[in-house]
Amino acid sequence: MHSAPAQQWHTQSPSISRCGFRPVLLQGGPRGCRGLVPQVSVQRLSSCKASTGDPRVKDGVHKAGYILRVHSPTELETYTKQPPTSSKLSILMAKSSHCRPCMKFAATYNLLAERFSDAIVMEVMGDENPTTRKWMMDMKIKVTPSFFLYRDGKLLTTLTGTTRSALRDAILEQLGPSEKGRDWVEPPVSVGSDSDSDSDDE
């Protein structure tokens, strides 16, 4: 469970210092980070893109079994509203660079991308730049991580927090009969990893 102080200044982040961000005021909350869009201005060098820092997170081109980092609503809609990918199940994780539950959930999200390899698994870093921050406000995101499932240009369901079985079951509910993932055997999560306190997980 995430038990960060109600308010805390975060200034130490390689991707933020490298890209010219100013400090962001975040609020901690159980099993998620509250206050993704605080009333604090953030400035970023327009020519700089934050590094994903994860070899399974890709920029620009979707690859089956990997996570695609998107940076704008337009980029998201390229996959959710335009053929041939719009007919696929798309999953978007909205996160922030200082959200500890998001960081812990990264390995689980990688596993889900591998398991549901017919789906387009994406993420957006909400505090990456002014565009993503406005996008988060437009989507009324108050807790990270938040998850959005799309198909055929329509938003199917949303959920928040890091309960792995809840996200897995939501994906299974929307998965097509011929799409990969239903028969995939999930490897055990080792003690101390991002098991997300989900005692009923398989």
Side-chain angles (χ1 to χ4, degrees):
M1 180 174 290
H2 181 57
S3 57
Q7 290 187 339
Q8 181 177 357
W9 284 102
H10 300 278
T11 58
Q12 300 299 320
S13 173
S15 62
I16 287 184
S17 62
R18 198 166 53 237
C19 293
F21 279 105
R22 291 184 177 180
V24 180
L25 181 63
L26 296 177
Q27 293 180 329
R31 306 193 80 173
C33 290
R34 297 183 181 276
L36 175 63
V37 188
Q39 300 301 313
V40 177
S41 63
V42 175
Q43 295 183 352
R44 176 183 179 276
L45 299 177
S46 59
S47 61
C48 181
K49 251 183 193 179
S51 171
T52 65
D54 186 331
R56 294 196 64 83
V57 178
K58 304 296 182 182
D59 262 309
V61 179
H62 173 255
K63 182 178 179 180
Y66 287 76
I67 299 168
L68 173 67
R69 172 73 62 85
V70 293
H71 307 273
S72 70
T74 301
E75 194 173 352
L76 173 68
E77 291 174 1
T78 299
Y79 294 94
T80 61
K81 292 188 176 182
Q82 297 181 20
T85 55
S86 58
S87 62
K88 294 177 177 286
L89 178 64
S90 293
I91 306 157
L92 176 69
M93 175 183 180
K95 56 194 287 188
S96 66
S97 60
H98 297 297
C99 171
R100 291 183 181 178
C102 300
M103 297 175 192
K104 291 186 67 177
F105 197 70
T108 291
Y109 201 50
N110 284 336
L111 284 175
L112 292 174
E114 180 182 348
R115 170 177 182 170
F116 302 108
S117 58
D118 282 340
I120 300 175
V121 182
M122 297 174 279
E123 69 174 31
V124 55
M125 190 68 75
D127 55 359
E128 181 184 354
N129 59 42
T131 297
T132 58
R133 292 180 65 79
K134 182 180 184 302
W135 184 9
M136 297 300 100
M137 287 191 290
D138 292 344
M139 296 177 75
K140 296 180 172 56
I141 295 175
K142 296 182 179 180
V143 178
T144 56
S146 291
F147 300 91
F148 303 83
L149 276 63
Y150 303 85
R151 192 190 293 274
D152 295 323
K154 297 178 181 179
L155 177 62
L156 304 175
T157 189
T158 64
L159 61 159
T160 61
T162 58
T163 303
R164 179 170 55 174
S165 62
L167 178 58
R168 178 199 60 203
D169 292 347
I171 296 172
L172 285 171
E173 184 177 345
Q174 301 297 338
L175 204 65
S178 62
E179 292 178 324
K180 296 177 181 177
R182 293 190 182 278
D183 301 327
W184 194 80
V185 178
E186 188 169 314
V189 177
S190 59
V191 176
S193 66
D194 63 329
S195 59
D196 58 62
S197 301
D198 190 1
S199 59
D200 67 345
D201 206 7
E202 294 177 358

